[in-house]
Amino acid sequence: MSSQSLSTTEMEWQLPSPRVVGMILVILTETALFTIFVVAYLFYIGKSVSGPYPHEVLHFPWLGSILLFGSSGTIVAAENHLKKGSMGGFHLWWFITFAAGVGFMFWTINEWIHLIYHEGLTISTNLFGSTFYSLVGLHASHVLVGAILLGLILIMSLTGRIQHRHHQHIEMISWYWHFVDCVWAVVITVVYIISANS
Amino acid sequence: MANGTTIIDPGTELLPARPGQERGTPTGWIQDLVYTVDHKKLGMLYVGTGLFFFVVAGIMALLIRAQLAFPNGRVTSPGEFNALITVHGTVMIFWVAMPMVFGMINYLVPLMIGARDMAFPRLNAFSFWLTFFSGFFLLFSFIAGPGVYGHSGAPDAGWFAIAPLTSPAFSKGPSIDYWSLSVLITGIGSVTGGINIMVTIICLRTKGMTLHRMPLFVWLALVTMFLVVVFIPPLSAAQIMLTLGRYLGAKFFDAEAGGSAILWQHFFWIFGHPEVYILVLPAFGVISEVVPVFSRKPIFGYPMMVAATILIGFISAGVWAHHMFTVGLNSFGVTFFAMATLAISVPTGIKIFNWLATMYGGKIRLELPMIFCIAFLFQFLIAGLTGIMLGVAPFDWQLNDSYFVIAHFHYVIVGGILYGIFAFFYYWYPKAFGRMLDKKLGLWHFWLFTIGFHLTFDPQHFAGFLGMPRRIYTYQPGRGWELWNLISTVGAFFQAAGVIFFVINLLWSAWKGKIAGDDPWDAWTLEWATTSPPADYNFETLPEVRSRRPLWDLKHPEDPDWKFE
């Protein structure tokens, strides 16, 4: 290239971060996966030929929802502390988020034990059981993955391997966590509100 | 190259990779291939895997055709026939066409956008090895434990695993599990690969390569991978439900418990129809690169090509139920899906006219890649026309699940997609191996395969009109199907002969082919700016991209493209 031709792109050449685009695509593909399970759940509302039915056994998940939705707030607080460089605040809020995630898992275990042993609802009982456990279970498995990520970051951070400069990495994990939260909002609407009242 | 961008550290040793240099030992090669995270090697591994499974599934096709050559055939038993058609279809889609798509894109995209490698090289290796091993997992079913009626454990419920047939009541033994688990695993590989490729295209373009300057192949790869990321998960979800049903007794597709077999078909085809576009768009990409170079004209209507591609991507999400007209949709559903199906032929038609307009008035060079592209144009046109016929619901009610459908989609996949893949081989082989593919062997390949293709699939349209259903393992004489089936079988062996010439050519030319040089076709995209084969780091220096044809600008500084864009 000779220097006589002036470049048509003299402006700064900036492209988005692979990390951010990658996480957006992970969320996109996960959304597609969840959509099919939600569609299956909606399609089979009221189609079970035998009980137990949703309105008989489901209770609104107050505790689980408070834990999960609350953790979306605490993770933002943790992020802000990391951006400001205050590692103490980061550790505190990150631990609270992690504890809320683990708490949600225990809440789910408790709910499932109740449903299986007291209400007699398993995945093979009827269509409600099949669609309920697959959708809620898929969501719970994502909470589990999220909790493992949160725990790993907590350990790495306590051993000094997470610094201020990693705030974008941390932000990506929080995006994933928010996504798991959004899915929970859909699950509540579909499972605990629509199907439990129909 | 004064203001080219240097993209490697000055300390790196610059050894030009030249053909014949450092051939190494066989164990060394294997170790190299297993450890590699290089997009070029993984691309070649993908393509090689695709070729291997192409031969395997091709042999299954020959067995199927041998069984159907004459009435009351006795080559295979009914059970074996069911397993053969199921595994033939599944392997051809998931372990031939998909690895070819991923291989082409893996090899070419980083070179075309001037990147060092993919965005996530290790994820790339992960994606490949999932695809590789899951394919062998499926093939293993042939020698694994017994399935129904004491036959091999190979899945036998059709390549789209029709719902009640896959339930434990009808598919005893592990046969369907081989199908659902192997496809689930390769699906995970495809999704991670798709994310990787999209991130690479969005984030790693070299300086100056804005979206509207990307080669069309890269655009088509981007849209293809969007479809992969969005439409493979529905299949995975359906397979998770199927597996839950088979192992834990979930009732999703169990009609006795109120479940719906139709829902399986919806879920399968929500994936299944976009899958066709996942496979065909990269072939369109190859055509869009080859036709301009061998017509010596820039592509006609670049923005329209991009717009048509995106339109195809969107409409493909809303056509799936045209596979299901005969299951009894309501009239609104039938009308919607018939109209969407007809609508998707519009952007496809735009593409065909743009390729023709690119050739029109050009100085056409009839080299092998171009020959395959021209055959593609004819055959894909016919495939599209029979597709429109089948998209018209009343016509489909007559001919669904007949050999007319078989003929239609083999015209798309063999006559269209596979010809695009062949053009890919003839066009980019010199880049990957530094040597040209032999033209005489290539012409033998072309003519044997093309004659074989038409002998095989043209008569199947007529067999379909005469009422021959698909998936039957044999038929009685006297229905007028004998001649068409016999011609079809003869044609299949012509195709096999063509493939033998092709494989010999690939192997022979790697050692003895004419040295290609960096840019044998006088092309315009960035991959021809580096050595053949490219070094591990791809480019020593990169020109700043100022137009859609950066190499043209480099070769013709007196008349660069960017002055007109």
Side-chain angles (χ1 to χ4, degrees):
Chain A
M1 293 295 244
S2 56
S3 51
Q4 67 218 14
S5 57
L6 271 172
S7 172
T8 48
T9 51
E10 284 301 330
M11 68 282 199
E12 192 97 1
W13 184 242
Q14 280 246 321
L15 290 169
S17 148
R19 203 173 289 134
V20 175
V21 178
M23 184 49 80
I24 291 171
L25 292 173
V26 168
I27 290 172
L28 178 69
T29 190
E30 294 272 27
T31 308
L33 185 71
F34 273 106
T35 303
I36 295 297
F37 282 92
V38 170
V39 167
Y41 191 92
L42 286 169
F43 183 81
Y44 284 135
I45 287 179
K47 301 257 172 71
S48 294
V49 291
S50 62
Y53 300 102
H55 62 89
E56 298 168 355
V57 295
L58 290 185
H59 303 286
F60 194 81
W62 290 110
L63 180 61
S65 305
I66 290 167
L67 284 171
L68 208 53
F69 291 137
S71 71
S72 246
T74 58
I75 200 169
V76 172
E79 255 179 83
N80 286 338
H81 278 284
L82 187 66
K83 274 182 201 158
K84 278 185 283 177
S86 108
M87 293 309 287
F90 171 70
H91 287 152
L92 176 69
W93 287 109
W94 197 263
F95 176 78
I96 293 173
T97 312
F98 171 69
V102 174
F104 181 86
M105 290 307 297
F106 277 104
W107 174 82
T108 303
I109 291 169
N110 193 41
E111 186 198 30
W112 284 26
I113 287 174
H114 172 77
L115 287 173
I116 293 168
Y117 290 101
H118 301 280
E119 308 285 359
L121 179 76
T122 69
I123 196 166
S124 61
T125 308
N126 56 13
L127 277 171
F128 165 54
S130 303
T131 50
F132 173 82
Y133 285 111
S134 58
L135 174 57
V136 176
L138 187 69
H139 175 261
S141 67
H142 281 75
V143 177
L144 183 65
V145 169
I148 292 171
L149 283 174
L150 292 167
L152 282 175
I153 295 294
L154 190 63
I155 294 167
M156 286 170 79
S157 173
L158 289 173
T159 53
R161 271 181 259 176
I162 303 285
Q163 317 273 322
H164 167 70
R165 65 193 157 88
H166 295 117
H167 69 84
Q168 201 188 33
H169 300 68
I170 300 300
E171 195 183 337
M172 290 308 105
I173 290 177
S174 98
W175 282 19
Y176 173 83
W177 195 246
H178 294 316
F179 164 73
V180 172
D181 243 23
C182 294
V183 174
W184 183 241
V186 175
V187 170
I188 289 182
T189 315
V190 169
V191 176
Y192 294 94
I193 297 176
I194 295 177
S195 83
N197 293 309
S198 62
Chain B
M1 304 284 275
N3 48 0
T5 322
T6 305
I7 54 161
I8 45 165
D9 299 332
T12 317
E13 205 180 344
L14 298 180
L15 278 176
R18 286 291 176 191
Q21 194 189 28
E22 284 188 41
R23 284 234 153 97
T25 60
T27 45
W29 300 338
I30 292 169
Q31 193 181 22
D32 196 30
L33 291 181
V34 171
Y35 289 175
T36 191
V37 292
D38 178 61
H39 76 96
K40 298 179 291 297
K41 286 180 187 145
L42 284 166
M44 290 206 266
L45 280 169
Y46 262 122
V47 169
T49 307
L51 267 179
F52 170 80
F53 283 102
F54 178 62
V55 172
V56 172
I59 291 169
M60 291 178 199
L62 291 180
L63 284 169
I64 292 166
R65 281 317 319 166
Q67 162 70 12
L68 291 173
F70 298 102
N72 297 321
R74 291 195 181 280
V75 177
T76 68
S77 72
E80 286 157 5
F81 186 85
N82 288 348
L84 282 174
I85 56 167
T86 304
V87 180
H88 163 77
T90 309
V91 168
M92 280 294 189
I93 296 291
F94 293 100
W95 288 281
V96 179
M98 289 294 272
M100 288 289 185
V101 164
F102 275 93
M104 294 195 287
I105 292 175
N106 241 299
Y107 195 94
L108 291 176
V109 158
L111 287 170
M112 282 181 159
I113 62 173
R116 161 70 187 80
D117 204 320
M118 301 282 270
F120 309 113
R122 275 180 287 188
L123 187 68
N124 200 16
F126 171 78
S127 308
F128 166 73
W129 291 107
L130 282 187
T131 301
F132 181 82
F133 284 115
S134 58
F136 287 100
F137 180 61
L138 178 64
L139 288 189
F140 176 73
S141 65
F142 276 106
I143 55 170
V148 210
Y149 313 126
H151 288 296
S152 71
D156 52 4
W159 88 274
F160 46 91
I162 305 145
L165 284 183
T166 53
S167 67
F170 297 105
S171 284
K172 295 189 175 63
S175 57
I176 298 302
D177 305 317
Y178 284 108
W179 180 85
S180 61
L181 293 178
S182 60
V183 176
L184 186 60
I185 295 168
T186 194
I188 295 168
S190 301
V191 168
T192 51
I195 291 174
N196 202 349
I197 291 162
M198 280 187 82
V199 174
T200 307
I201 297 173
I202 294 170
C203 306
L204 299 187
R205 281 165 287 133
T206 186
K207 192 174 182 193
M209 184 168 284
T210 54
L211 285 178
H212 72 279
R213 289 179 191 157
M214 290 197 312
L216 272 178
F217 182 87
V218 179
W219 255 114
L220 282 133
L222 185 64
V223 177
T224 306
M225 290 305 139
F226 178 81
L227 293 178
V228 166
V229 166
V230 175
F231 292 108
I232 299 278
L235 177 68
S236 305
Q239 284 166 333
I240 292 168
M241 292 177 191
L242 176 64
T243 308
L244 286 176
R246 286 177 60 83
Y247 281 97
L248 300 177
K251 307 291 185 200
F252 292 102
F253 310 117
D254 181 354
E256 243 177 272
S260 163
I262 305 294
L263 192 67
W264 167 266
Q265 291 196 23
H266 278 294
F267 287 168
F268 186 87
W269 289 117
I270 286 171
F271 147 80
H273 202 83
E275 172 71 10
V276 179
Y277 293 95
I278 291 170
L279 302 182
V280 82
L281 288 180
F284 286 174
V286 172
I287 310 296
S288 304
E289 294 301 324
V290 171
V291 165
V293 167
F294 290 88
S295 306
R296 311 312 298 156
K297 279 173 68 188
I299 188 85
F300 183 89
Y302 176 99
M304 280 312 285
M305 289 296 254
V306 173
T309 308
I310 295 171
L311 206 58
I312 288 175
F314 274 111
I315 303 178
S316 76
V319 297
W320 76 85
H322 68 212
H323 295 264
M324 302 166 57
F325 284 147
T326 49
V327 304
L329 303 170
N330 59 29
S331 60
F332 172 76
V334 169
T335 314
F336 176 84
F337 285 106
M339 280 170 57
T341 306
L342 301 188
I344 205 166
S345 63
V346 174
T348 318
I350 290 173
K351 282 177 170 298
I352 291 191
F353 280 115
N354 278 351
W355 290 320
L356 292 178
T358 308
M359 287 165 69
Y360 182 77
K363 271 195 274 178
I364 293 178
R365 296 186 303 188
L366 277 182
E367 295 287 343
L368 281 163
M370 189 61 173
I371 294 173
F372 277 94
C373 285
I374 293 171
F376 169 96
L377 287 177
F378 281 98
Q379 289 160 183
F380 191 75
L381 177 67
I382 297 172
L385 292 177
T386 54
I388 292 174
M389 290 160 83
L390 287 169
V392 179
F395 185 91
D396 185 78
W397 289 332
Q398 293 300 315
L399 285 173
N400 189 29
D401 271 350
S402 76
Y403 260 76
F404 189 83
V405 174
I406 302 272
H408 159 69
F409 74 72
H410 280 89
Y411 246 85
V412 176
I413 294 175
V414 181
I417 296 163
L418 189 57
Y419 273 68
I421 291 171
F422 284 146
F424 158 82
F425 273 101
Y426 286 102
Y427 185 56
W428 279 290
Y429 185 95
K431 179 48 63 183
F433 288 90
R435 289 171 186 272
M436 309 294 283
L437 281 170
D438 186 71
K439 189 163 182 182
K440 200 183 269 179
L441 286 171
L443 283 172
W444 272 100
H445 165 216
F446 175 78
W447 285 111
L448 279 172
F449 197 87
T450 306
I451 291 168
F453 167 75
H454 286 281
L455 282 179
T456 309
F457 296 112
D458 296 4
Q460 291 185 358
H461 291 98
F462 304 114
F465 278 132
L466 293 171
M468 181 171 171
R470 68 192 285 194
R471 299 200 186 93
I472 52 168
Y473 82 97
T474 191
Y475 52 92
Q476 303 292 316
R479 298 185 181 219
W481 303 345
E482 296 96 325
L483 178 65
W484 305 123
N485 275 292
L486 185 60
I487 298 173
S488 201
T489 303
V490 171
F493 285 89
F494 269 87
Q495 290 185 62
V499 172
I500 290 172
F501 273 96
F502 175 57
V503 172
I504 290 173
N505 198 354
L506 289 181
L507 298 174
W508 187 83
S509 300
W511 299 90
K512 302 277 178 185
K514 209 171 72 193
I515 299 284
D518 293 350
D519 184 14
W521 308 117
D522 191 11
W524 305 312
T525 38
L526 278 181
E527 77 272 25
W528 305 103
T530 183
T531 51
S532 305
D536 283 344
Y537 43 81
N538 285 357
F539 299 95
E540 237 170 87
T541 54
L542 272 170
E544 190 184 323
V545 177
R546 295 176 186 198
S547 75
R548 283 170 203 147
R549 301 193 297 168
L551 251 65
W552 172 276
D553 297 352
L554 212 59
K555 291 173 196 165
H556 304 271
E558 75 290 349
D559 180 28
D561 266 7
W562 50 263
K563 279 191 180 164
F564 307 100
E565 279 184 13

